[in-house]
Structure formats: structure tokens, C-alpha cells
Amino acid sequence: MNQESIAALHRLLKVANRDTGQSRRVADFLLSWWNAPTCGKWDPTDLWAVDAQISEDILMLLRGIDASRAYPDTLGYKAPFERLVREWRPHLIKD
């Protein structure tokens, strides 16, 4: 992934770690990348419901995902994505 995509990912992770409607939409997008069959809920029309900068970051990250063909854990982001699962998909956490 290029530096622009990585910067977009970092900004999106910050948004996803908040508790707003936009945060939920960003978390849905990121978790769909992490594991679409289990965690996926992202709707592309969510781009209409977030601020323009967030939308641009999602599109930038999509380009990075396409270019790298990698999952976040293989890029060194396992821990932040596990936090997102705990926050936004707690039903998936097994005790």
C-alpha cells in the first residue's frame, strides 16, 4: 500500500474508534475488509452518509486494498482490527 492509503487507513481507524453514526459506517467498511463473511455489513451507499473527507479516505483505502491485495492483519494492523471487532461486533468474541 502506498503512503496515501496508509494515511487514509490511520484516519479511518481514528473515526471508527469513536461512537458516532459515521464511526459505525467506517467500522462496517473496515471490518468488511478484515472478514467480509463474518464481520461485513458495509453498504456502498454509506459513502453518502459520511463527511466528504471520510468518503475520500474510504475510496483511497479501497484503491490501496486493490493494489496490495492484502488483508489488514498481513499489513501489521491485526491489533487495531481486533479492537474494532470487540467494539463493533462483540457478539463474535468467544470467551
Side-chain angles (χ1 to χ4, degrees), residues 73-93:
D73 57 326
T74 64
L75 298 170
Y77 292 93
K78 184 177 181 179
F81 276 75
E82 287 176 338
R83 279 192 299 277
L84 289 178
V85 171
R86 283 192 303 277
E87 176 72 26
W88 294 102
R89 305 289 189 275
H91 63 281
L92 297 177
I93 305 297

Side-chain angles (χ1 to χ4, degrees), residues 6-89:
I6 292 170
L9 171 58
H10 286 237
R11 288 188 297 270
L12 291 170
L13 283 167
K14 285 181 184 177
V15 172
N17 282 302
R18 297 182 193 137
D19 187 19
T20 68
Q22 291 190 123
S23 299
R24 180 187 52 79
R25 288 174 171 88
V26 170
D28 288 348
F29 166 70
L30 293 172
L31 290 171
S32 291
W33 174 30
W34 170 258
N35 185 331
T38 302
C39 297
K41 289 186 179 182
W42 186 64
D43 180 345
T45 63
D46 282 345
L47 290 170
W48 305 338
V50 295
D51 293 342
Q53 182 59 56
I54 293 172
S55 178
E56 287 300 317
D57 283 343
I58 289 172
L59 294 172
M60 175 64 66
L61 183 53
L62 277 171
R63 287 189 286 277
I65 292 167
D66 180 44
S68 69
R69 298 182 183 263
Y71 289 97
D73 57 326
T74 64
L75 298 170
Y77 292 93
K78 184 177 181 179
F81 276 75
E82 287 176 338
R83 279 192 299 277
L84 289 178
V85 171
R86 283 192 303 277
E87 176 72 26
W88 294 102
R89 305 289 189 275

